[in-house]
Amino acid sequence: MKFQTMTDTFAARTTTSDIESGDVFQPKFDAGGLIPAIVTDATSGAVLMFAFMDDTALRLTLETGIAHFWSRSRNKLWKKGEESGNLLKVTEVRTDCDQDVVWVKASVAGDGVACHTGAVSCFYRKLTGTPGTSGGVRLINAATRD
Amino acid sequence: MKFQTMTDTFAARTTTSDIESGDVFQPKFDAGGLIPAIVTDATSGAVLMFAFMDDTALRLTLETGIAHFWSRSRNKLWKKGEESGNLLKVTEVRTDCDQDVVWVKASVAGDGVACHTGAVSCFYRKLTGTPGTSGGVRLINAATRD
């Protein structure tokens, strides 16, 4: 858990109007100092993974063009693919109306797989079935390669 | 803030192996009882919005085929588009390796806009510039319609 709600790297939050319509990036980090980050494949558009960034990870992502995150399980900065070689090369970063999420478009270097399980995308299963029934909600492999 | 870490609706969490490779959906809700939800356009693949679901919202999404969320600002169940008519009609739901995120593919009913600002997607701006420089990080309208 990080406890960092202020940042010197990015502009301070101002008004709703500025946040929604302005041209100054003023990201909102949560009470733990983190902002959600969605990563999609720059070519296929498939969602590859989801993680959180702290101020430093977001800054390094923008400065280096390689996606960095905050690992909540290891409680430290996480340069995705640093060991496997499957770095995420960033082609574009967007934010949403509230500026409390970032969407990173990237291509995967190395073996081209974003998931630690060896799958191209972490989202390799889709849901089927109905909550509350005897079978419950099950998972099946997604038909596409992503 | 919700304080709901147990759920009767979905299967209990078991082992890492089962979570990553099994066929039972056993979603992880955070300490506040929420799971992140990424919504993409079923046709274009663009990320439309990002929000959180609680147990009830996820159940209703799966049961009705209409995306529901937990509104952290209003502290209540949020049927997206209930007032505007811009309901999100779900075509597929996926989860990731850790089963702690859901990816919802949907088409937008009504006016076809997912964002309360009137934009098709909440991610209508992309980042440009470098942290720590005089200009800082700025936002420009994304070139595409999404």
Side-chain angles (χ1 to χ4, degrees), chain B residues 60-124:
Chain B
L60 287 172
T61 298
L62 297 173
E63 284 179 354
T64 66
I66 302 294
H68 292 67
F69 305 94
W70 175 260
S71 171
R72 293 181 300 171
S73 57
R74 289 175 292 167
N75 211 37
K76 67 172 192 176
L77 182 71
W78 170 33
K79 184 179 180 182
K80 175 84 175 72
E82 189 168 29
E83 292 176 15
S84 67
N86 299 325
L87 297 166
L88 294 172
K89 297 185 172 182
V90 177
T91 60
E92 186 178 296
V93 181
R94 295 192 185 192
T95 193
D96 74 339
C97 47
D98 301 327
Q99 299 202 37
D100 59 2
V101 188
V102 292
W103 169 15
V104 175
K105 299 184 184 183
S107 59
V108 188
D111 298 328
V113 300
C115 186
H116 77 285
T117 63
V120 172
S121 160
C122 293
F123 295 84
Y124 48 85

Side-chain angles (χ1 to χ4, degrees), chain A residues 4 18 28 42 58 68 74-75 80 83 86 92 116 133 139:
Chain A
Q4 173 192 351
D18 273 356
K28 181 178 181 181
L58 181 53
H68 291 67
R74 290 175 292 168
N75 211 37
K80 176 83 176 75
E83 293 176 15
N86 298 324
E92 185 176 295
H116 77 284
T133 61
L139 300 172

Side-chain angles (χ1 to χ4, degrees), chain A residues 6-133:
Chain A
M6 299 293 289
T7 169
D8 291 330
T9 308
F10 300 102
R13 301 274 286 181
T14 56
T15 64
T16 300
S17 172
D18 273 356
I19 290 167
E20 292 185 351
S21 312
D23 67 349
V24 177
F25 182 49
Q26 38 191 271
K28 181 178 181 181
F29 295 90
D30 67 18
L34 302 177
I35 188 168
I38 303 160
V39 181
T40 63
D41 186 282
T43 304
S44 74
V47 180
L48 295 175
M49 60 172 286
F50 172 85
F52 290 88
M53 295 180 177
D54 67 345
D55 173 275
T56 300
L58 181 53
R59 177 176 60 77
L60 287 172
T61 298
L62 297 173
E63 284 178 354
T64 67
I66 303 293
H68 291 67
F69 304 94
W70 175 260
S71 169
R72 293 182 300 170
S73 56
R74 290 175 292 168
N75 211 37
K76 68 173 191 175
L77 182 71
W78 171 33
K79 184 179 179 181
K80 176 83 176 75
E82 188 168 29
E83 293 176 15
S84 67
N86 298 324
L87 297 166
L88 294 172
K89 297 185 172 183
V90 176
T91 60
E92 185 176 295
V93 181
R94 295 193 184 191
T95 193
D96 73 338
C97 46
D98 301 327
Q99 300 202 38
D100 59 2
V101 189
V102 292
W103 169 15
V104 176
K105 299 184 185 183
S107 58
V108 189
D111 298 329
V113 299
C115 186
H116 77 284
T117 63
V120 172
S121 160
C122 294
F123 295 84
Y124 47 85
R125 292 168 298 181
K126 60 183 175 184
L127 278 59
T128 184
T130 308
T133 61

Side-chain angles (χ1 to χ4, degrees), chain B residues 123-143:
Chain B
F123 295 84
Y124 48 85
R125 292 168 298 180
K126 59 183 175 185
L127 279 59
T128 184
T130 309
T133 61
S134 60
V137 181
R138 315 293 289 195
L139 299 173
I140 56 176
N141 284 331

Side-chain angles (χ1 to χ4, degrees), chain B residues 14-77:
Chain B
T14 56
T15 65
T16 300
S17 172
D18 272 357
I19 290 167
E20 292 184 351
S21 312
D23 68 349
V24 177
F25 182 49
Q26 39 191 269
K28 181 178 181 181
F29 295 90
D30 67 18
L34 303 177
I35 189 168
I38 303 160
V39 181
T40 64
D41 186 283
T43 304
S44 74
V47 180
L48 294 175
M49 60 171 286
F50 172 86
F52 290 89
M53 294 180 177
D54 67 345
D55 173 276
T56 301
L58 181 53
R59 178 176 59 78
L60 287 172
T61 298
L62 297 173
E63 284 179 354
T64 66
I66 302 294
H68 292 67
F69 305 94
W70 175 260
S71 171
R72 293 181 300 171
S73 57
R74 289 175 292 167
N75 211 37
K76 67 172 192 176
L77 182 71

